[in-house]
Amino acid sequence: MERDPLRLAWRSNRGLNLVIALVGLMLAAAVLLFLVVLATLIDDVIIGGGFTDIDAQAPFLRLAFGLPAVFGGGEVVVSEGILLGRDAYMAAAIATLIALVLLQVGLRALVSLLAATAASRATNGLRKDIFGRIVTARPSARDEAEAAARQIGEGVGRLASVLGEALAVPLSVGPEILVILAFGFAQHLFIGLLFLGGAIAAAVLMRPLDEARAALGFVAREGDRESGRMAQEAARRLPAIRIHGTGKAELSGFGAMLAHLSARQAAQARRHIVLQALVAVVRYGLPALFIVIAGNLAAQGMLSAGAFVAALFAAFLMLRPVDVLTRWIAGQREGRAALEELARAVGSLNARGERRRRAARLPQPSPQRIEVKGLAAFDPHSGHRLEDVDLAFDLPAHVALVGPPGSGADVLAAILGGALDPTEGRVLFDGVDVGEMSDGYRAAVIAFAGADPVMLDGSLRDNLTYGVPPELTRDKDACDARLIAALKLVGVDAEVYSLGLNGAVGAHAAGRLAPFIADARRAVREELASDGTEDLVDPFAAERYNRHGTVAENILFGVPVGDTFEERRLARNPFLRAVLEAEELTRPLTEMGLAIATQMVEMFAGIPDDNALIERFSFFSAEERGRYEGLIARRAQRRRSEQAEDRDLLIALALRYVETRHRLGLLDETLEARIVAARRTFARLLPPGLAPAIEFWEAERLCSAASLSDNLLFGRVAYDIAGAEERVHAAVRRVLASLDLDAEVLRLGLSARVGPRKGLVSPVPDRLVDLIRCLAREPQVLVVSHIFDGMTRSDAEALVGRLRQGFESRSLVAVLPPGLSEDCLGRTVHFSRSGLAQPRTAAEMAEQS
C-alpha cells in the first residue's frame, strides 16, 4: 500500500493533476500580467507624464522589457499597445485590472474545485483498495478485516485534504511564487532579494491561519461514517462473502455509495469556494484599486508615487502563496504519518496477491472427483480441528459426514465450501485446489450453507439472491421461479405464502394483481357460500358499520398510507378531530374511552407490566398503562378539569374498540350510524393535500396499502366465532390455487422487508435462507452444515430426502445431525473429534439404538 501522499495523489489523478498544472501556469501568467499592467500604468503614464496635455494619447498595454548589459542591452517589445486618451486610458486600465483580479479569483476557485475532486478520487480509490482487501481476505482474517474496516471511514476521511493538496498546491502556487520573484528581480536586485528573504522568513515563521482549517470541510463526516459502516458490515459477513462469491457485488455497491458521497462532497466544496472567492475579491481587488487611484493622484502632483508601488503590491501578493506552501509542507508531513499508520492497519490483508493467486478453474463444467490429501485445519471461532485426513470419491455423489458434536465433519464441510483454509494438506476438485479458485467461480460451482448465515436489510428476495450471479437475476420472473422452486424444495413455501398473503400488496405488485381482484373477490364469496362459511366474513359496505372492524377503521373506510392517519397518532390528527367535532362524536368517544380505561385498569390491577396478559388482552401497552392509571386517578379525585391530552388518550382507546371482540357493550346502533355518517364527512371533506395519505376501499378496485388477504375478503373475519380465521383463510387459499395465483402470493412474500436493523424477522430461519440462496445458484456441488439444527428428526429426514431428490444428478455433501439415519445418503464418512473414524459395526449400531 502506498505510503507517500505525493505518489498516491499522482497515481489516483494523473490527468487531473496535469489540468491543475495547466491552470497553475495560467494563474501565474495572470499574476504577471497584472503586475506588468500595474507597473506600466504607474511608472510610464502617471509618474512619467504620459499625458502632457488634454489631447495627448498614450499606448495602452504596451509590453516591453529591457535586456541586461551582458546581452547587449536594448529593449524587447512584446506588444505596442493601443493609443488611448487620458479618460479612455484610465477606464481601460481600471477595467483590465479588475478583469485580471477576477481572472485570478476564478482560476484559484478552479484549482480549489479540482483539488476537492482530486481529494475525493484519491480517498475513494484508497477506500476501494481497503474494501477490496476486506472482501477478498481469507475467512481466518476476520479480525484483521474488522481492524481495516475501522480505518476506512474517518481514518481515510482525515487524509482527504492532504491528498487533495498533495500536488494541487505546488502545481498552482509554485509558478505564482516564481513569477513574483522574477518580477521583483526585474525591478531591482534589492527588491528581488527582499522578496526572496521575505518568502524564506514567512516559510519559517508564519503560522497556519484559521482559513486553512476551513478547507478541511470538503469531506462530509456523515459520508465517512457511512463508508466505515459499510466496510464493517462487509467484515462482519466476510465468511458469507467468501462462501457465496459476492465480493464483486459488494464492491460494486460500495462504489455506488462512494459516488453518492462524492456528489455531496462536491456540493460542500462549491459552497466553500464561493465564500473563499468573495474573500479573495475583497483581498486583492481593493488594494489594486487603491494603487490605481493613488497613482492617478500622484501624476497630478497631489501624492508622490513611483515604480516601487507595483513591487510593493507584488510583495503583498507573495504572502498568500507562501502561506499556503508553508501549510502544505506541514500537512504533507502529517499525511505521510497517517498513511504509514493506515498501511500498518491493513497491511496484513494481502488482497492483491490473493486475487492473482486464486484464479484457477476446473477442466470441465462440473467436477468429477474430490480428493483430500493430508488435510489438517483449525477453526478459531468454534475451536474444532481436523488432522491427517485422506479421502477420495467420485462425483456426482451423495455423501453424509457423520460424527459427534464438534467433530471434524463440520471442519471438512467448511473447507470444501471455501469458508475455512486448511493449515496443511489440500482439497482437490479434479486436481484443482479449491483454495486456488476465485471466490465467485468456486461459489458458482460449489455452494456451502454453513453455520454463520448473514441476513441483509432488504426484502426476502434480496436475502435469497445474495450471491446469485447477476446473469441469473436479470430475468426477474425466471429468478423468482428458481426461488419458489427452492422454497418448495426446502419446505418453507408455506411460511413465505403466509407472509405474502398477510403483507401489504404494494404499488409494484398492484399492477399485476389489479386485473384479477374483482373476480377473485367474487370467487372468495362464492367459495365461502358453498362451504357454508359466508357468515364468517362481514364485508365492507359504504353505508353500513362493520362490526368486526375497529371504530377507526369504520371512520376511515380505508388503509392509511404513511404515518398521517396511522393508529398511534390518529386521535391527535387535526382533520379527524375536526370531523369528530362536526359529527358531535368527540364527547361520545371520550366517554367510551373512559369506560374502556376504567375497566382495563380495574381488570389488570396488580398484574405486573411484564406479564404477557397486558400486551395480549389490554387496550394499552405496558408503557401506556401508567398514563391511563394516572388519568383515572385524576378524574376520581376531580383534581382538575378535562385536559386536551387526556381527551386524546381516551379517544385513542375508543378508536381501537371492536364490539364483537372486546364485548364491553359500548356500541349501539345509534352510535354506529353516527360513525358511518362521520365516514361520509371524512371522505367528502378530505383536503387534496391529505388524499395520498389514505387509500379508500372500493368494491371493484385493489387497495395496494392493504394485505392481499384483506383485499380478497373485502371485509373483516368474525371475532366471535371460534376457528373462523383458519376456515376463511383456507377458503382463500383454495381460490388462489384455482385462479393459479399461488406464484403471485409467493412473489409478494419474497418482496416483504426483512433484516436485522429493521427488526423485521423473516419467517424462514436464517440457516435455511442460506441454504436457499445456495440452491438458487444451481451449483454442481452442494455442501451443507448445521442446517438441521433445531429440526425434529422427521423434519430433518424429510429435508434430506428432498435435497437428495433435487440433486439427483448433482453432488450433495451433508453433515448429518446425531440420531439421523446414516444411510439416508449414498455414502457415509465417519469422523471422530479431530479426524476420520472407523465406521461402527452393525452390533454397535444396534446397541446404540
Side-chain angles (χ1 to χ4, degrees), residues 1-5 8 126 130 151 154-160 162-163 330-346:
M1 181 177 174
E2 184 57 66
R3 290 168 168 80
D4 187 273
L8 181 58
L126 192 56
I130 299 173
Q151 295 290 331
E154 295 184 2
V156 175
R158 287 192 294 269
L159 289 167
V162 173
L163 295 176
Q332 292 305 297
R333 185 166 53 247
E334 295 174 0
R336 190 173 291 104
L339 281 174
E340 289 281 355
E341 180 183 351
L342 188 64
R344 286 193 296 270
V346 302

Side-chain angles (χ1 to χ4, degrees), residues 100-305:
L100 288 172
V101 169
L102 293 177
L103 178 61
Q104 292 178 53
V105 171
L107 291 174
R108 287 193 174 94
L110 181 57
V111 169
S112 298
L113 185 58
L114 293 173
T117 304
S120 176
R121 289 183 182 179
T123 52
N124 287 351
L126 192 56
R127 285 179 173 132
K128 278 190 175 183
D129 181 32
I130 299 173
F131 195 86
R133 293 169 184 266
I134 290 173
V135 299
T136 58
R138 294 293 189 180
S140 56
R142 184 186 298 186
D143 294 339
E144 292 84 350
E146 291 178 351
R150 287 191 291 270
Q151 295 290 331
I152 206 170
E154 295 184 2
V156 175
R158 287 192 294 269
L159 289 167
S161 60
V162 173
L163 295 176
E165 295 176 352
L167 290 173
V169 168
L171 291 176
S172 61
V173 306
E176 186 177 355
I177 292 175
L178 294 177
V179 161
I180 295 174
L181 287 174
F183 181 81
F185 279 108
Q187 298 303 312
H188 195 278
L189 177 62
F190 173 75
I191 295 177
L193 292 175
L194 184 64
F195 283 2
L196 183 60
I200 295 174
V204 173
L205 300 175
M206 190 175 293
R207 287 188 170 186
L209 302 176
D210 292 340
E211 185 180 325
R213 295 187 180 90
L216 300 177
F218 288 148
V219 179
R221 293 180 180 176
E222 294 82 3
D224 295 338
R225 285 193 292 269
E226 178 64 12
S227 60
R229 184 197 63 77
M230 286 190 67
Q232 290 174 359
E233 285 287 322
R236 180 181 64 83
R237 55 176 178 261
L238 180 58
I241 291 173
R242 176 69 190 280
I243 292 167
H244 302 295
T246 58
K248 289 185 178 179
E250 294 276 359
L251 192 57
S252 175
F254 190 73
M257 186 278 298
L258 290 179
H260 176 68
L261 171 59
S262 296
R264 295 181 60 192
Q265 289 173 337
Q268 291 183 358
R270 285 192 294 269
R271 288 194 296 269
H272 176 71
I273 290 166
V274 168
L275 295 175
Q276 234 181 8
L278 293 176
V279 172
V281 168
V282 174
R283 184 175 182 181
Y284 300 115
L286 291 181
L289 290 176
F290 170 78
I291 291 175
V292 172
I293 296 172
N296 185 40
L297 294 175
Q300 300 177 35
M302 299 175 63
L303 290 174
S304 62

